[in-house]
Each structure stands twice: as structure tokens, then as C-alpha cells.
């Protein structure tokens, strides 16, 4: 059965706008299909949609639809899968456009308790007594970094995203009252875009490459994220610039091209490609801005003096025009433009946009030199005309240059600790040291690694041949070292160590990085890249503080961390969820964060936490700003990094207004969370949460790992087998060739459950944990009222429950050949789902899931209505495939249903 009904108030303005948008786009899709495919094809779509409208939303029963699908040929199934998937995408666009109107209207409303913008957050803090000097110190230390990552189950093609972006833009224009002729023109443009979308492949015929991922992400960065950052820096500089430069406040990071953990396609060449591609985007923008400044600053020395520094800068210009000898600002800007062109030639192999050709001037050696030249212009204008002559564009250019350098986004390198072990072992063997590293215990390993860092002698020799894995690792690290020389230290975000569990896991990459000059050994070792352990499993999160303590107690850690020591730690939401379930995972992350902050503070070191969140609730998803505000007090400290994965990049940053809203809200949340006082935790709250997390952990493990029939249940009732075979990501779905749950990557694990509409990783274990821990509803209500973390946990869990559809999930259960065990396991899952729903509603006194969040309830309901028919079609097609059919059209139709369901639910894990 489905969860309690999600009601929609059709008279609400947002509902009305969503309905109007959805109806228009749906009509245009049918019009396009009729125009392109003919009346008979359009009639089949209309017949299927009519049958789908008769579905019993509570049970998922749709006998007329099932009968229609059973009679389809595979070719017809492909056609209908395309139609329903396209309808689902268009429904999302209609909702998003209406949602942007809602956000715009909401932002105009005063009195919000939680600020949506950084400027609002500053006003609140000043109202609480914060002085300008105190805010300046806070801003100087802030470091807010969303990090774009690849996604093993990303299904949307860039060409489809481009179509959706244009349709969204055109729909936004219709929000205004337009003359009839202009409205008709926009409608015709919408028809054309939808017709083009219909003729565009929804899926990739081949597996996506790392190059594709870099290009796709940079397309969004170029069109929406970078413009949003520019707007924000412009506003911040103008309205709160008196509190200090904004450059350290907001930056972007990326894993694209540098995350080689389990990814055979990532290496030194992809790292170089990523940096060059990013550099081209930001250098072209700098060049365009310098060109605009050149046009504006035709200031003559005949009318105003200028600074000596500006005259010196202008004098360096090659071949100045005789007509501009009295225009030193223009001459200086010509030089700056030429030096940017030289930088682009060096880093990307081509001049910047707008350049007429190559240049032989000396390139900037570092972004700081570019900023210094711009500062000369600002200083001269201020001294000889005043602040108002400078203009916001020039100051914004400086702030963006401080934030983005020549690399645009800092790149992280990530590798598994097991690979480091094997690489270090080979280096010791080939160097003839007599050290059998893999045979050493932890204490002995740390001893030899510390010894290796105490001198400058390398282990690597250019005259020694190494194995394939070691050769690849060293080549990637050499590429990173070259990037630091080319782009500056800011180009590397951190070196992330997956599967970190011990002190030696931190020391091993330091020894490896020493071989390429990113770490210098000796009595006081130094490093030009941060090394950050990633604690992923429940056990590793619990042990993380002890590992941090061991690391910080080493004298060499202080010299490696530098004069203003800040240690970064990454917290994994995905594998901890697959390891112990939703509640234990979230509790483990929060508790680990608090313990890590305590240890770092005790050792006199700053802490920067890197939250490895996914898009789905089960992987730490949910609104980023709310997640920050729910972090334990004392853990944010003005610094935070958070991953943004796959389809969530397009959803959160796909257009400029949305990107701006999310980036601004994130910065505001970091500021507010950092100013929250640290209180000693309430022992009763701690005891209750610990009991719930432990009980939930055991409940989750009892089903997923202790039930011997569960592994076969998972592989048979979800489309995991089909997902593994799809070309929807550059990274393999599993770490090994086995079917074990522990070897499966967390993302396809979550993706499979969402496709089958269980949404199990987002709620399973909560209800059984409450029962085992013997917690009353009153206790849980008190927890939610006094503990932001628990309130956020409940809110996100309620969303996952609302997105699930146990009636449709029961139909996937019928796919299992082991009927007896499937029925038994499903009954267990159903009981847990029903109990979790009941408890969640009792805690907040609701009568239906999300009835306290009508906009979200509407979104979930509309998505379900679009996706339910695709689930019915997918079930029919999976039955055919598992009965032995191998038709290529059948495989294609299944791919289309997977893509359509994922796009409709906006969830690929």
C-alpha cells in the first residue's frame, strides 16, 4: 500500500501555476508527436495516458494500463517509454518554473527566522550585536566550497539538459502578461524546442567518458554557476564589502578528472584536461571583463592625474597606439589583456576569446600578479577621482580573480587507501630497502613511513621499471605537481584518502607525494597539498577521532599543516548508510563531526569538514542550507566543503537564478551555523540518540546482511542487473565482480531502490530502532523539538517515505523467482515502512506525509503521477527480459524507462 495520501490544494497560486505549465507543455508534446509521428502514434500516447489516469494511487493497481502494456511490441514499448519519459521531464520543468516564481515571491517577504541570503545573515548578526570588526574576522576565515563530482548513475545527456534549459527559459518568459502576438511567438518557440527534444536521444549509446563528464559540468559552470558567483560577489562587495574581501568566502571545487578511486579512466591526462578546460572558461571571462573596462576607461591625463604605479604599468604595453598615449588606463588594460592571452596560450594552448592572435608578452606567473595589476588601476582611480569612479565591475573582477585564480575550480585527487598500500610496498621493494611493507603491522608501518618523511631522499628512480598500477599513480601525482607549478597552490583542493581507517593511511600518500615534489621531507616536513582522510563506514566514523589524535600528536603534522593549521576530514554518508542504515549513518556522521571538532580544538588545530553527500535522502541529500544549519554546534567554524553529484548539479545550479539562490543560501547557512554557541550536550538527548542509532543499526543489518536470502532478493526485485549493464556513468557500479552488497557502490544501491519505488535507504531501520530502543513518541517529540539534527533527520526521512510507493514496490517483489523468501522479506519491509510512517506522523501530529510542507507534497505527488506509468512499463519489460528475451529494442526500452523514472523522481542515487 502507498503511504497516507498527499493532498494538493488546487487553489494555491503555486498549484495553479504548476497545473497551467504542465498542461501547456503536455499539449505541446502531443502536438509535436502528432506533427512528427502522425495521428496514430499520438493516439497511442493518448490511450496510454488515459489508462494511466485510472491507476489506483493507493495500491498502484492499473489493470487497463497493464493490459495495454502487455500487448505492446518492443518497438511500441520504446515509443511509449520515450513519450512518458519526455512528459515526466516537461512536468518537472513546469514545476520548476512555477517554483522559481514562488521563491522570488518568498524572498520578498520580511521576517524569516532563517536568512536566505548572506546579506540577510549579516543583518541578523549585527542586530544581535556583532561589530563590523568581528564580522571582518569571520569573513576572513570563511571557506564555502561546493564540490562538483561525477556520478556513476547519471542518466541525463548534456544535449537533453540544453533543451530543458531553453524550454525553461521560454516558460519563464510566459510568467509575464504578454501581447497576444508575442505569446504566440513564444508558444511556437516552445513547440520547436519540444519537437527537437523528441528527436534527441534520451540515453547514451556508449558509456560516458571522463572527458564527457568534464565538458557537461563545465557547461553548467559557464552558463549558470560562474554568472551566479559573479552576481553574488558584486552584491557582497557593494553591500558588505566593508567587512573585508569576499574572495575566501565562496569558491568552487571539483572531482572531475581527479577522482581515480575505482575509476580506470582517471589518470594524469584527465587531470591535465580538467585544468585546461576550466582555465579556458575563467580566462575567457577575465578577458571579456578587461575588454569592457578598456572601453569604459578612456580617461585622459589631459584632465586628471594618475598614479606613478599606473604610469609604470602602462609603459610596459607593447606597441601602444599613438592615439592613446594620454590614456594610461587603456594602455595598462591592453597589457593586462595581452598577459591573460599569454597565460591562456601557456595553459590551454590557445589565446583567450576576443584576442586577435597570439602574443609574445610574458604571461602572469600567478593569479596574484593579475590581481596586483587590477589593484593598481583601482588605487589610481580612488586617489584621483574617488571611490565612485572605480565601479562595481572592477571590484567584482578582483574578488572573482581572488576566488577562482586561473584554475576556476580547485581539483581534488582521490584514491583508495588499499592502492596506496600496494604502491608504497612496490616502491620499498624496488628501492632495495628490504622493507616488506604489506607484511608489517600498523605500528611498524607508521615507523617506516615517518622515517621516510624525515629526509629528502626519494624512493623513486627514473631508471627503475614499475608495475602498471604504480606507474599510473606516479604519473597522476606528477601531473598534479605540474599543475601546482602552472596554476598555483590553490588549484588543488585536497588529496582525499578513501577507506581511511588508520594513521598509516594518512602517512602513505604523504610519502608518495614526496616522490613528485608536493611534499618535502626533512626535520620539518612541508606539503603544498592538504591530505584529507575519508571516514566512510560506521566503524571508521567512530574510530576517526582516535586516528586524528594520533596524526596531530606527530610533530611532523604541525609543519605539514603550516603556520595556520587547519586539518580537513571528509565524512562519508553513502557507504555508512549502506553499512548501517539511515539513522545510524546520520548519527554516526554527526557524532563523528563533534568528536573530530573536539579533538582538533584540544590539539589547537582548526577543522574543515568535507561532507560527502549525495542527492538522495539515503546518501545525505536534502537542502544543503538546512543540512548545514543542522550540523552540531562547533563543527562548521566558517569552513565547509560539500559534494554536489550528478543530476543534483543540474537541479541545484542548472540556471543562474537557481544557482544564485542555492549558493547564497549555503553561504548564509555557514555564517549562521558558525556563530551558534557550543553547549554541552544534554545527557538524556545523547543517550536517546545513541540508543536509537544502535538499535536502528542492528535492525538494518538484520535484514540486509544477516538474512541469507536478502542478496538474491535485492538482485531480483530491483533493476540492479539492468543498471549495471547500462551506459549511464563512467565508473563501474561495483568495486568487484561479485554480487555482494558490501562490494556494490552506494550510489547504484540507492538508485536501484528508487527505481523500484522502495526508497529503502532513506528510512529503513528507523521504526525497528525506535521499538528496540523502547523510545516513546513523547521522547521522540522532545528530541525533535530540542535537537536540530534529529528534526532534520525526521524531515528528510518523511520525504523519502512520501516518495516511496509500496503498492508499486510489491509488483517488483513479484519479479523474484524465490516467491516464499521474497514475500517474507517484503512483508518485513512493508511493516517497517508502515511503522516509520505512523511514528513520523505521530511525532509532529500530522495526518498525511508532508502535509506541513504543501509545496513539497505537491512536487512528490506530481512526480509520482508522471513516473507511475513508467514503473508499470518497466515491470512489463523486465518480465520479458528475465523470461529470456534478448531483443535489442527491449534493452533500449528498459534503458528509457530507467532514464525516465530517474528524471521524473530527480533521483539516481
Amino acid at each position: 500500500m502507498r503511504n497516507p495520501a498527499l493532498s494538493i490544494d488546487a487553489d494555491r497560486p503555486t498549484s495553479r501555476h504548476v497545473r497551467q505549465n504542465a498542461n501547456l507543455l503536455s499539449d505541446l508534446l502531443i502536438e509535436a508527436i502528432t506533427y512528427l509521428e502522425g495521428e496514430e502514434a499520438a493516439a497511442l500516447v493518448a490511450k496510454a495516458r488515459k489508462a494511466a489516469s485510472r491507476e489506483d494511487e493507493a495500491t498502484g493497481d492499473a489493470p487497463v494500463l497493464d493490459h495495454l502494456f502487455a500487448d505492446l511490441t518492443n518497438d511500441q514499448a520504446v515509443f511509449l517509454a520515450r513519450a512518458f519519459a519526455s512528459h515526466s521531464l516537461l512536468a518537472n520543468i513546469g514545476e520548476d518554473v512555477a517554483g522559481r516564481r514562488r521563491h522570488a515571491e518568498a524572498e520578498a517577504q520580511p521576517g524569516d527566522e532563517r536568512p536566505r541570503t548572506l546579506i540577510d545573515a549579516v543583518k541578523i548578526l549585527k542586530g544581535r550585536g556583532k561589530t563590523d570588526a568581528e564580522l571582518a574576522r569571520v569573513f576572513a576565515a570563511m571557506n564555502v566550497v561546493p564540490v562538483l563530482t561525477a556520478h556513476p548513475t547519471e542518466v541525463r545527456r548534456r544535449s537533453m539538459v540544453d533543451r530543458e534549459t531553453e524550454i525553461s527559459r521560454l516558460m519563464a518568459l510566459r510568467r509575464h502578461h504578454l501581447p497576444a502576438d508575442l505569446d504566440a511567438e513564444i508558444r511556437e518557440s516552445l513547440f520547436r524546442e519540444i519537437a527537437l527534444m523528441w528527436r534527441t536521444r534520451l540515453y547514451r549509446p556508449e558509456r560516458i567518458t571522463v572527458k564527457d563528464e568534464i565538458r557537461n559540468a563545465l557547461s553548467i559552470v559557464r552558463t549558470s554557476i560562474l554568472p551566479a558567483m559573479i552576481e553574488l560577489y558584486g552584491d557582497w562587495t557593494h553591500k558588505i564589502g566593508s567587512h573585508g574581501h569576499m574572495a575566501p568566502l565562496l569558491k568552487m571545487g571539483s572531482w572531475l578528472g581527479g577522482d581515480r578511486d575505482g575509476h580506470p579512466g582517471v589518470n594524469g591526462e584527465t587531470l591535465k584536461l580538467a585544468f585546461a578546460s576550466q582555465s579556458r572558461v575563467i580566462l575567457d571571462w577575465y578577458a571579456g571583463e578587461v575588454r569592457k573596462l578598456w572601453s569604459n576607461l578612456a580617461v585622459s591625463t589631459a584632465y586628471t592625474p594618475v598614479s606613478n604605479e599606473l604610469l609604470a604599468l602602462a609603459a610596459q604595453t607593447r606597441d601602444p597606439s599613438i592615439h592613446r598615449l594620454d590614456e594610461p588606463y587603456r594602455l595598462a588594460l591592453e597589457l593586462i589583456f595581452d598577459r591573460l592571452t599569454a597565460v591562456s596560450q601557456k595553459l590551454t594552448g590557445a589565446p583567450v576569446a576576443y584576442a586577435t592572435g597570439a602574443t609574445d608578452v610574458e604571461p602572469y606567473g600567478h593569479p596574484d600578479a593579475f590581481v596586483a595589476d587590477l589593484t593598481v588601476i583601482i588605487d589610481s582611480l580612488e586617489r584621483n577621482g574617488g571611490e565612485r569612479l572605480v565601479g562595481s565591475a572592477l571590484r567584482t573582477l578582483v574578488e572573482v580573480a581572488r576566488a577562482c585564480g586561473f584554475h576556476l575550480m580547485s581539483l581534488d585527487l582521490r584514491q583508495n587507501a588499499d592502492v596506496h598500500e600496494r604502491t608504497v610496498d612496490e616502491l620499498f621493494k624496488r628501492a632495495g630497502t628490504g622493507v616488506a611493507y604489506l607484511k608489517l603491522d600498523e605500528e611498524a608501518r607508521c615507523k617506516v613511513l615517518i622515517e621516510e618523511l624525515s629526509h629528502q631522499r626519494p624512493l623513486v628512480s627514473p631508471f627503475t621499471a614499475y608495475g602498471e598500477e604504480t606507474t599510473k599513480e606516479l604519473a597522476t601525482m606528477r601531473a598534479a605537481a605540474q599543475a601546482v607549478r602552472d596554476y598555483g597552490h590553490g588549484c588543488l583542493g585536497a588529496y582525499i584518502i578513501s577507506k581511511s581507517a588508520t594513521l598509516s593511511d594518512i602517512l602513505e600518500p604523504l610519502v608518495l607525494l614526496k616522490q613528485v615534489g608536493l611534499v618535502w621531507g626533512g626535520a620539518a616536513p612541508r606539503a603544498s597539498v592538504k591530505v584529507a582522510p575519508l571516514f566512510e563506514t560506521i566503524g571508521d566514523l567512530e574510530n576517526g577521532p582516535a586516528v586524528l589524535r594520533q596524526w596531530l600528536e606527530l610533530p611532523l603534522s604541525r609543519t605539514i599543516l603550516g603556520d595556520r593549521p587547519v586539518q580537513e576530514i571528509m565524512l562519508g554518508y553513502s557507504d555508512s548508510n549502506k553499512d548501517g542504515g539511515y539513522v545510524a549513518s546520520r548519527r554516526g556522521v554527526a557524532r563523528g563531526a563533534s568528536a573530530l571538532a573536539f579533538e582538533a580544538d584540544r590539539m589547537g588545530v582548526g577543522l574543515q569538514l568535507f561532507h560527502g553527500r549525495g542527492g538522495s535522502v539515503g546518501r545525505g541529500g536534502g537542502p544543503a542550507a538546512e543540512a548545514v544549519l543542522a550540523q552540531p554546534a562547533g563543527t562548521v567554524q566558517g569552513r565547509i566543503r560539500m559534494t554536489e553529484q550528478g543530476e543534483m548539479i543540474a537541479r541545484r545550479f542548472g540556471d543562474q537564478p537557481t544557482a544564485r539562490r542555492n549558493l547564497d543560501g549555503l553561504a548564509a547557512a555557514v555564517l549562521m551555523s558558525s556563530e551558534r554557541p557550543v553547549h554541552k550536550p544534554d545527557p538524556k538527548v545523547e543517550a536517546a540518540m545513541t540508543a536509537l542509532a544502535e538499535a536502528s543499526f542492528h535492525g538494518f543489518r538484520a535484514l540486509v546482511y544477516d538474512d541469507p536470502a536478502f542478496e538474491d532478493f535485492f538482485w531480483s526485485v530491483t533493476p540492479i542487473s539492468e543498471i549495471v549493464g547500462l551506459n549511464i556513468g563512467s565508473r563501474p557500479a561495483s568495486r568487484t565482480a561479485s554480487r555482494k552488497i558490501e562490494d556494490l557502490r552506494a550510489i547504484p544501491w540507492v538508485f536501484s531502490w528508487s527505481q523500484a519505488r522502495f526508497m529503502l535507504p532513506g528510512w529503513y531501520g528507523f521504526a525497528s530502532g525506535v521499538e528496540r530502543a523502547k523510545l516513546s513518541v513523547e521522547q521522540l517529540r522532545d528530541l525533535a523539538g530540542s535537537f536540530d539534527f534529529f528534526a532534520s533527520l525526521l524531515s528528510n526521512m518523511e520525504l523519502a517515505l512520501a516518495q516511496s510507493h509500496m503498492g508499486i514496490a510489491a509488483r517488483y517483489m513479484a519479479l523474484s523467482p524465490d516467491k516464499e523468501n521474497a514475500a517474507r522479506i517484503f512483508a518485513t519491509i512493508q511493516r517497517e515502512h508502515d511503522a516509520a510512517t505512523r511514528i513520523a506522523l505521530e511525532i509532529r501530529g500530522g495526518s498525511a506525509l508532508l502535509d506541513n510542507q504543501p509545496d513539497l507534497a505537491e512536487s512528490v505527488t506530481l512526480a509520482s503521477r508522471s513516473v507511475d506509468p513508467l514503473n508499470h512499463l518497466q515491470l512489463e519489460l523486465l518480465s520479458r527480459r528475465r523470461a529470456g528475451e534478448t531483443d535489442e529494442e527491449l534493452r533500449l526500452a528498459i534503458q528509457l524507462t530507467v532514464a525516465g523514472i530517474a528524471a521524473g523522481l530527480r533521483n539516481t542515487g
Side-chain angles (χ1 to χ4, degrees):
M1 298 293 289
R2 193 176 184 176
N3 48 56
L6 303 174
S7 60
I8 296 179
D9 180 358
D11 293 328
R12 292 171 55 250
T14 306
S15 293
R16 188 167 62 253
H17 296 144
V18 170
R19 189 169 62 251
Q20 289 170 349
N21 291 347
N23 288 341
L24 172 63
L25 292 172
S26 179
D27 291 345
L28 286 170
L29 176 62
I30 292 296
E31 188 177 325
I33 291 174
T34 304
Y35 179 79
L36 296 170
E37 309 293 349
E39 295 283 352
E40 185 177 345
L44 177 61
V45 176
K47 183 178 180 182
R49 287 178 59 182
K50 183 177 180 180
S53 69
R54 298 176 182 174
E55 179 194 37
D56 184 325
E57 291 193 357
T59 64
D61 289 338
V64 178
L65 186 65
D66 290 338
H67 181 74
L68 172 64
F69 286 164
D71 289 340
L72 294 175
T73 65
N74 288 337
D75 285 345
Q76 289 174 320
V78 169
F79 175 77
L80 279 183
R82 286 178 62 208
F84 277 116
S86 298
H87 179 264
S88 183
L89 288 170
L90 292 172
N92 284 346
I93 292 172
E95 180 193 351
D96 287 346
V97 172
R100 282 201 291 276
R101 172 184 280 188
R102 182 182 74 243
H103 283 298
E105 291 167 351
E107 285 168 358
Q109 301 295 327
D112 272 331
E113 291 184 7
R114 290 184 174 181
R116 288 187 174 88
T117 70
L118 184 66
I119 292 169
D120 288 342
V122 169
K123 291 177 183 176
I124 290 173
L125 292 177
K126 292 185 80 170
R128 294 177 182 174
K130 278 282 180 183
T131 66
D132 285 352
E134 288 172 326
L135 285 169
R137 286 194 293 272
V138 171
F139 283 132
M142 281 185 72
N143 188 43
V144 182
V145 188
V147 179
L148 308 184
T149 72
H151 200 294
T153 53
E154 169 64 30
V155 299
R156 299 207 305 173
R157 298 178 60 223
R158 181 67 243 170
S159 52
M160 283 299 295
V161 173
D162 290 342
R163 294 274 74 76
E164 293 170 45
T165 300
E166 181 59 14
I167 293 169
S168 178
R169 186 188 70 81
L170 291 167
M171 287 296 293
L173 294 176
R174 298 188 75 256
R175 294 185 304 179
H176 309 289
H177 297 291
L178 300 172
D181 58 339
L182 183 55
D183 189 66
E185 183 181 333
I186 292 174
R187 189 186 189 282
E188 184 62 21
S189 296
L190 280 167
F191 168 82
R192 179 178 179 275
E193 289 299 324
I194 291 172
L196 290 172
M197 185 184 81
W198 176 252
R199 287 287 170 90
T200 301
R201 285 197 317 268
L202 288 169
Y203 72 99
R204 301 180 183 91
E206 64 285 322
R207 186 171 291 279
I208 188 174
T209 66
V210 178
K211 182 178 180 180
D212 294 327
E213 290 173 335
I214 293 169
R215 184 175 61 247
N216 292 351
L218 278 179
S219 176
I220 294 178
V221 172
R222 183 187 297 107
T223 58
S224 58
I225 294 177
L226 180 57
M229 287 181 66
I230 293 163
E231 275 191 359
L232 287 172
Y233 273 115
D235 281 359
W236 294 342
T237 301
H238 175 61
K239 296 178 181 178
I240 53 179
S242 60
H243 305 303
H245 291 303
M246 299 294 105
L249 196 157
L250 176 66
K251 301 175 184 176
M252 294 299 299
S254 174
W255 280 12
L256 302 168
D259 178 15
R260 60 198 194 281
D261 179 15
H263 197 317
V266 175
N267 50 42
E269 294 306 310
T270 61
L271 192 71
K272 295 174 188 175
L273 174 66
F275 273 124
S277 302
Q278 294 174 191
S279 182
R280 184 59 188 264
V281 171
I282 194 62
L283 288 172
D284 281 353
W285 182 76
Y286 292 156
E289 292 302 295
V290 169
R291 199 162 170 258
K292 291 175 190 175
L293 289 169
W294 183 92
S295 297
N296 291 333
L297 292 178
V299 176
S300 171
T301 52
Y303 302 114
T304 182
V306 298
S307 69
N308 291 330
E309 292 82 1
L310 180 71
L311 290 173
L313 189 63
Q316 300 175 46
T317 305
R318 295 282 184 93
D319 302 322
S321 168
I322 192 172
H323 304 296
R324 302 199 220 291
L325 294 179
D326 65 334
E327 297 174 352
Y329 290 103
R330 279 190 161 183
L331 294 176
L333 288 163
E334 283 181 21
L335 174 67
I336 292 171
F337 185 92
D338 287 345
R339 295 193 73 184
L340 286 174
T341 296
V343 171
S344 184
Q345 289 171 185
K346 173 186 173 183
L347 299 180
T348 74
V352 292
Y354 315 111
T356 57
T359 181
D360 60 355
V361 304
E362 183 182 357
Y364 287 114
H366 193 278
D368 288 349
F370 170 50
V371 170
D373 283 353
L374 294 174
T375 303
V376 167
I377 294 175
I378 291 174
D379 290 344
S380 181
L381 286 168
E382 283 183 339
R383 277 188 251 163
N384 300 285
E387 170 70 23
R388 294 174 69 182
L389 287 187
V390 176
S392 62
L394 181 51
R395 292 198 183 279
T396 300
L397 174 59
V398 169
E399 299 301 344
V400 173
R402 286 192 171 111
C404 298
F406 294 149
H407 57 274
L408 178 60
M409 302 185 289
S410 60
L411 273 178
D412 289 351
L413 284 78
R414 184 172 73 132
Q415 185 54 284
N416 195 292
D418 292 343
V419 176
H420 296 149
E421 287 181 1
R422 294 193 295 268
T423 306
V424 168
D425 179 66
E426 180 169 8
L427 293 189
F428 276 128
K429 285 180 179 176
R430 301 289 186 185
T433 62
V435 175
Y437 184 76
L438 292 179
K439 295 181 180 180
L440 300 179
D441 60 20
E442 173 63 14
E443 183 179 353
R445 286 186 178 191
C446 291
K447 183 178 180 180
V448 298
L449 293 170
I450 292 170
E451 170 62 26
E452 198 59 38
L453 291 168
S454 69
H455 57 75
Q456 297 185 24
R457 293 189 306 276
L459 283 169
V460 172
S461 168
F463 306 106
T464 301
Y466 298 97
E468 181 180 355
E469 183 177 64
T470 297
T471 300
K472 181 181 176 182
E473 288 300 298
L474 291 173
T476 303
M477 293 181 185
R478 288 190 185 103
Q482 184 60 49
V484 169
R485 291 190 288 271
D486 290 339
Y487 297 89
H489 293 297
C491 74
L492 294 182
Y495 191 104
I496 311 294
I497 312 156
S498 298
K499 204 179 174 182
S500 291
T502 62
L503 175 59
S504 64
D505 291 334
I506 298 176
L507 296 170
E508 285 161 356
L510 290 172
V511 169
L512 295 176
L513 292 167
K514 174 190 162 190
Q515 311 309 311
V516 299
L518 287 174
V519 170
W520 295 268
R526 294 175 294 117
S528 57
V529 60
K530 294 179 293 187
V531 172
L534 165 54
F535 299 124
E536 300 177 83
T537 67
I538 301 291
D540 290 341
L541 287 167
E542 291 175 350
N543 190 50
V547 175
L548 177 62
R549 186 187 319 121
Q550 289 178 302
W551 162 242
L552 294 180
E553 285 174 347
L554 293 178
L556 66 85
S557 71
R558 300 314 176 97
T559 58
I560 284 177
L561 291 177
D563 295 335
R564 297 179 180 178
V566 175
Q567 176 63 51
E568 179 168 303
I569 304 284
M570 186 169 184
L571 305 175
Y573 290 70
S574 303
D575 283 281
S576 60
N577 178 286
K578 188 164 67 73
D579 182 37
Y582 174 61
V583 177
S585 168
R586 298 300 283 268
R587 172 61 171 166
V589 169
R591 197 174 186 179
S594 292
L596 289 165
F598 174 81
E599 285 296 338
D601 184 64
R602 189 175 67 86
M603 301 295 289
V605 171
L607 180 68
Q608 177 166 286
L609 291 178
F610 184 4
H611 294 266
R613 305 165 73 241
S616 65
V617 170
R619 298 187 53 246
E626 290 183 17
V628 172
L629 290 168
Q631 293 303 310
T635 63
V636 177
Q637 302 180 13
R639 299 178 288 263
I640 198 166
R641 299 212 300 157
M642 306 177 81
T643 54
E644 295 287 358
Q645 290 190 335
E647 82 287 352
M648 297 312 298
I649 297 173
R651 185 174 185 186
R652 289 179 178 153
F653 307 108
D655 60 76
Q656 187 173 335
T658 304
R660 173 176 175 144
R661 184 174 66 248
N662 283 311
L663 292 171
D664 205 0
L666 178 60
V670 170
L671 177 59
M672 296 302 293
S673 186
S674 301
E675 293 302 300
R676 194 168 60 215
V678 179
H679 299 292
K680 188 175 181 180
D682 185 331
K684 290 183 180 179
V685 169
E686 284 292 300
M689 278 306 309
T690 299
L692 175 59
E694 290 178 354
S696 173
F697 174 84
H698 291 299
F700 179 86
R701 300 280 302 187
L703 173 73
V704 175
Y705 294 102
D706 297 341
D707 190 322
F710 183 82
E711 184 179 295
D712 288 337
F713 174 84
F714 168 67
W715 281 87
S716 61
V717 307
T718 74
I720 179 62
S721 299
E722 289 72 23
I723 289 169
V724 168
L726 296 183
N727 295 321
I728 52 178
S730 66
R731 188 187 304 273
S734 184
R735 291 183 172 90
T736 71
S738 81
R739 286 161 48 100
K740 292 180 180 179
I741 303 298
E742 51 265 45
D743 291 335
L744 188 70
R745 292 188 180 278
I747 297 174
W749 159 261
V750 175
F751 188 24
S752 301
W753 289 116
S754 66
Q755 285 280 310
R757 304 296 290 281
F758 285 82
M759 305 297 178
L760 181 142
W763 52 265
Y764 194 87
F766 171 75
S768 56
V770 169
E771 182 181 350
R772 289 175 185 225
K774 296 181 171 57
L775 296 173
S776 68
V777 171
E778 289 72 23
Q779 286 176 291
L780 295 170
R781 193 174 291 138
D782 289 343
L783 270 178
S786 60
F787 197 15
D788 286 346
F789 160 78
F790 188 61
S792 175
L793 181 149
L794 289 175
S795 176
N796 287 323
M797 184 186 74
E798 189 171 339
L799 172 60
L801 289 166
Q803 289 175 324
S804 65
H805 194 316
M806 296 308 290
I808 288 178
R811 291 171 168 266
Y812 281 87
M813 180 263 294
L815 293 172
S816 175
D818 185 351
K819 303 300 181 186
E820 182 178 351
N821 276 316
R824 175 181 60 80
I825 292 173
F826 184 82
T828 300
I829 294 172
Q830 178 78 69
R831 283 194 300 273
E832 179 80 11
H833 180 276
D834 292 346
T837 300
R838 174 181 52 79
I839 296 169
L841 292 176
E842 287 177 352
I843 290 172
R844 66 171 180 82
S847 57
L849 292 172
L850 303 181
D851 59 4
N852 62 331
Q853 300 184 71
D855 289 324
L856 190 55
E858 176 184 61
S859 177
V860 170
T861 300
L862 291 174
S864 184
R865 289 174 182 172
S866 297
V867 168
D868 288 0
L870 282 163
N871 280 117
H872 284 271
L873 181 55
Q874 186 180 86
L875 282 160
E876 168 63 29
L877 299 174
L878 289 175
S879 297
R880 295 182 190 183
R881 182 178 184 275
R882 294 179 184 185
E885 285 193 44
T886 57
D887 186 84
E888 178 61 22
E889 292 299 305
L890 176 62
R891 186 187 68 84
L892 172 57
I894 292 174
Q895 281 186 327
L896 289 167
T897 62
V898 170
I901 292 169
L905 295 175
R906 310 191 201 224
N907 189 333
T908 57

